[in-house]
Amino acid sequence: MECLSCVSELDHCHGTLVSHEDDFVECTDSGCRDLDLARHVFTATCADVDGGCHCTAVFVEEFAKAS
């Protein structure tokens, strides 16, 4: 099966764009050079990542202190 975006020569990424609580973003594709949301079909938050993320724990801790 061919990727329609590849066949159409559209600028895109096959990785998943992961956004963190501190607004940092990263892509699961190690070759990705442009972290623009428009290039990524798949997106997730770091809380969705198996095992969670350090920044999620920090955010929850800070939210608890503010409450």
Side-chain angles (χ1 to χ4, degrees), residues 3-64:
C3 171
L4 293 177
S5 293
C6 288
V7 172
S8 300
E9 297 182 7
L10 295 174
D11 183 25
H12 68 288
C13 180
H14 293 157
T16 300
L17 190 67
V18 180
S19 59
H20 295 268
E21 295 293 336
D22 61 359
D23 295 327
F24 175 73
V25 292
E26 61 185 324
C27 182
T28 59
D29 181 347
S30 61
C32 182
R33 300 288 181 244
D34 186 351
L35 299 175
D36 189 271
L37 179 63
R39 295 186 70 245
H40 294 83
V41 174
F42 303 108
T43 61
T45 66
C46 63
D48 296 327
V49 176
D50 190 27
C53 178
H54 172 72
C55 74
T56 303
V58 170
F59 180 75
V60 169
E61 184 178 308
E62 291 299 318
F63 182 76

